[in-house]
Amino acid sequence: MTTHRHRTGRGLCALLATAVLAGCSGTLPTDPLPRAGLPVDVQPRQDVQRVLPRPEADASVTEIVRGFLRSNVGFAEDDDVARDFLTAALASEWVPTSNVLVLDGNPEITTVEPGVVSVTARVSGSIDATGRLTELPAGSTTTETFRLTPIDGQWRISAFPEAFGLWLSRSDLDQAFRSSTVLYLNPTLGLFVPDVRWLAEGEGLPTSLARAQLAPVPTHLEGAVVTGGAGDGRLTVAAVPVDPETQVATVNLQGAGISEDAERVAALRAQLAHSLLALGGIRGVDLRLAGRSLDPGGTVTASTDLGYSDVRRSVDRALLRVQDRLVVIDPTLYDLRNASADVPVDLPTVPISWTGLAASPSLDSLAAVSVDGTELWRWHDGEESVNPGVGDDLTHPTFDPHGLIWVAGEARGGEAARLWFVDSTDVDAVARPVDVPDLDPSERVRAFRVSPDGTRALLVVGPDGEEDRGRLLVAGIVRDAAGQPTALAPPVPAAPTLTSVTAAHWGSATELVVTGRRAVDESPLGFRVPLGGWLRPLGERQGLDEVLAVPTGEGYSPVARTEDGRFHTTEGSSGWYDARNGDELVIPGS
Amino acid sequence: MASVTGPVIPDGRPVAPPQGTASVGPPDIARVRPAATRAHPVRSGRSAVGRWWHSSLRTRVVTTTVLLGMAMGALLGSLLYQQIANGLVAQAVDSAQRDAAQQVALAQEAIDSTDRRDDSALNAAANDQVLSMAGTSAELGRQVLLLPALDNERGAIVQTIAVGVSADDLPVGLQEAIETDPENQQVVVVPVTLVDREDAITSVVVGSRMSLLRAGAYDLVLVYPMVREEETLDLVRQLFVAAGTGLVLLVGGLGWLATRMVTRPVERAAAVSQQLAAGHLDERLAVEGTDELAQLATSFNTMADSIQLQIRELRSLSQLQQRFVSDVSHELRTPLTTIRMAGEVLHASREDFAEPVARSAELLQQELDRFEGLLTELLEISRFDSGAVTVERHPEDLVTLVQDAVDGVRTLASEAGSPLEVRLPADGRPLPTLVDGRRVSRVLRNLLANAVEHGEGRPITVTVAATDQVVAVSVRDRGMGLDEEQQARVFDRFWRADPSRQRRTGGTGLGLAIALEDARVHGGWLQVSGRPGEGARFRLVLPRSLAYVIAEAPPLADPVSGEPIPDDQVPPVVLALATREELP
């Protein structure tokens, strides 16, 4: 009995000591044996997978190069077959999107010497590292050399041509790239300024777009537009992931001083959110700065007020000039019939000595130039005035969204191309000049039109005296803090495949409608010219003089004017409808 | 085996000077043990802890309560502490798993969303992603390790990236577990040494499988240091220690208070009991209230009343008997003197009488001698009983006393045929001892006569042994011996081992009783031992100084070996100081 009690006592003491020692050990309990936790639900998204052939055993150098070019289209896939054709060193360095050539037809591959292959291909366009597409004139070709090295007895490409990125056919380009829009801002009018870029399709598209959005403004728009992305702001991680369930894209930014600049933050928010939401498949954008959401709600959606809006311009009435009389018509109708007289419009008669008539969006201001191109006639709310001696060879005037009347021409005495703008609401206002120093001194401006967002202008320029050699340029209008124009940014060419441009108008913020000829055309045609896109010809019309654009909100309707004084609306995909006669068709606000 | 008798412990009466006469008081019912001073630590008894433990009921209760309170507090605290620690870890693991799932999903989405696939871009993206996932310090969040999976066959296009934790500190077996079960997270809780800290922190480590573009399978290991959990646990521990200390103090205090409520009456009862034991028979407990303690006090007082009454009755009866004996003895002396004188006349004229008458005169004279001796011893006994004994101590040489006593019985021994052998200490020096020589001689004479009486003609040995404090005299015969019952009664008055046996020395049956009393009044012990058929041994142990009494019975056998202590050795004794009043 006593022994049992002692044993029990010792057991209790041991238990107590063990419990105390274990309990007061002072450290958290550990569990070093791995055990299963939550399921890992991060399997890669299953996109459409292209089955591209890998290098075959003992393939020749030409087969390797051909196989490589053929598999270029799969560069964005996880199983990047194209890199299998490269040596390991080259595969690790290859940046496919650094430069893209769009091929027209199959390339010709010839072996120059062992391990050296020459490839010749017809090229229809190129895309630079920023995604800007430049269409090349028909018949352009390129010839490049690829160098190969045997690796374990198998030929592999060891050296690219200089600045090689991708060579894609037009169809491959449409599969692997998507035309996306980078947005800049016109803070004066609260408008987005679109700039089209070709970016790689796939899960990396939001990242590419955000990266492009954060890049500096292109040279031809410097000073004309505002962006919040320039400077030291960058993506914290080179990725903009999109949650597959909520479809919310997360943009995590970092950069010194961003958070202190409220205007910049607002601009960034507007630009990134609006451009990403336009991609499709994204319902919200969570913009974060150093991990913290910039929006109290956390996510910007399509319904969020960003302080800026897209340019949406439409007109429901236009002026048809017959002799010196102006008639209000409905340009959206196929027959351009007269508009209803519900709202009477007070319009002056315009003597035939004035041509190139332009009207403000509300039709309360008109402008025209003299037939000899030396004077500017203006009318505003019943008052007329003439600005004599502005310049020579004045182009047709144009109204911009800022309420200015623009006209281009030749400076008197200096014989240099020059622009003038004048306040449309003040008939006594003086025309102020803006120099165009980046133009060739021998060239003259034959047409000048301001974009619907007010930040850019198209210029049709050409050598003095050679009317059939006009070319198309686009440049930003540099303005000061008060919104007054101060200069024109260095222009970039548009639609270089057109060898002769005679007229051009803004159809929308991203597309021009141009009258001109390609090298293959015998007579002028109308063309749709998307900025950063492929040229698309309109239907042919004999005796075409000029194609106008009637804004319809999202897009525009072309209206052709022929040399016989008739206006034609589109009919079908490429036909023209003979609408009515007239001397000029004035689209307000253009 | 042995019978012992205790010594008389002097009470508090004044002590005569060494040469003077000390009187021994009447035998009290309760004798107060003198304040003892151990002459030497011969016997330790209980240990110091044991004595402390048994010294006080309150001590035991409070100590037990505190110890049990501490034990239970420690046990419960430990269990709670463990529960809290486990709960903290479980919570951290759950939180880590959820966070890891979210982080891995985000990382996978981010990696999938990169727009450049060259090595440097992939490495940069992975590096940026890992950096964006990692906390700035161990206290502020997760640490990240991205490394190729064990089954990655595409080569390490993306290098191993570690933030806050070294790849060398990856828990053993984690990557193998991920390889085995890539569909689920793999979780371990282990101490991890972080880059910015020297000591390891217990951390939740969650490993997950990821797929990197072009780079293939990678393992993303997220380390969640449980710094806050450890701080919480430290706080809990401090609170537990503080609360436990408070609880133990509270329990101890409550135990002390409760014990005090119980022990104070008990202490009062003990004090009253001691007073009663000291002879203050009129002491009583105060009865307060009607609780159990009051009942105890009432019962105690009733018991004390009863004891007091019985003691008074016994004392008066004893005194009556003693007085009767004394009176009878004294009263018998006068007629005995007359009878003796007549007897002596007859004895002197016996030759004038006829043979039968002369023989009767001789017999009369012998019986008168015995009768007178009996009366003398009865008077001596009555003096002991009445406490009227006087001890006249003088420095005596005990060797001389022994030799004189031996010489006194030598003739008788010769008649009985028992040789007498005396063994003295080897140095042969005298043993001066402060004793009443008459009484000690009487004791020795009685012992020797008893030995001759029961020695059956066999040798008798007298052995003297001494130390500076104690002297021992052993008288050993080789006669019929004594069994245990006989040893227990050998000092009883008028007791005989064999009543039918003829007395040789004419003893009265009071000799050993008187010898015992003589030993006791000297503060010594008279002990008997032996076995039937092996003879008997009587040992007289006396202190040599007036300053001491022998407090406890000297052992007859060695306490360690169990062997009988030889006659020529002084047994180990516990000496106590005599009452202070007795000290010079």
Side-chain angles (χ1 to χ4, degrees), chain A residues 17-61:
Chain A
T18 305
V20 170
L21 288 174
C24 297
S25 59
T27 57
L28 294 164
T30 59
D31 182 10
L33 196 63
R35 58 181 179 79
L38 299 176
V40 181
D41 188 20
V42 293
Q43 298 309 313
R45 222 173 291 168
Q46 296 299 316
D47 286 336
V48 176
Q49 295 286 318
R50 300 177 183 85
V51 180
L52 297 169
R54 296 183 180 281
E56 294 183 359
D58 300 324
S60 66
V61 289

Side-chain angles (χ1 to χ4, degrees), chain B residues 96-277:
Chain B
Q97 287 183 178
R98 292 176 189 280
D99 182 76
Q102 187 181 14
Q103 289 298 323
V104 171
L106 290 175
Q108 183 69 64
E109 287 176 14
I111 294 296
D112 290 345
S113 303
T114 53
D115 55 343
R116 283 180 54 179
R117 311 297 169 94
D118 55 295
D119 287 10
S120 61
L122 285 178
N123 275 285
N127 197 54
D128 288 347
Q129 181 59 37
V130 167
L131 284 174
S132 72
M133 295 165 72
T136 53
S137 67
E139 287 78 7
L140 292 178
R142 64 188 90 82
Q143 311 297 305
V144 190
L145 180 61
L146 179 69
L147 69 172
L150 295 179
D151 51 351
N152 186 315
E153 296 175 348
R154 298 195 187 180
I157 292 176
V158 173
Q159 304 297 318
T160 297
I161 303 169
V163 177
V165 62
S166 169
D168 298 333
D169 291 330
L170 189 68
V172 176
L174 186 62
Q175 276 205 287
E176 288 79 359
I178 298 173
E179 182 184 15
T180 306
D181 182 14
E183 302 294 326
N184 293 301
Q185 298 171 336
Q186 300 300 321
V187 185
V188 295
V189 181
V190 291
V192 176
T193 303
L194 303 181
V195 171
D196 58 346
R197 295 172 71 109
E198 293 182 356
D199 51 335
I201 304 175
T202 304
S203 308
V204 182
V205 182
V206 183
S208 306
R209 174 57 56 90
M210 277 187 67
S211 177
L212 269 56
L213 291 168
R214 286 187 54 225
Y218 270 67
D219 293 339
L220 182 65
V221 180
L222 299 174
V223 178
Y224 298 85
M226 291 190 283
V227 177
R228 287 179 184 159
E229 286 77 3
E230 283 195 349
E231 290 173 352
T232 304
L233 205 59
D234 283 343
L235 180 62
V236 168
R237 184 167 54 238
Q238 291 169 9
L239 290 175
F240 272 24
V241 169
T245 305
L247 184 66
V248 167
L249 291 176
L250 181 64
V251 167
L254 287 175
W256 181 83
L257 188 63
T259 312
R260 186 167 177 269
M261 293 172 67
V262 174
T263 56
R264 283 193 71 181
V266 173
E267 286 173 352
R268 283 200 298 271
V272 171
S273 298
Q274 286 182 353
Q275 291 294 318
L276 283 172

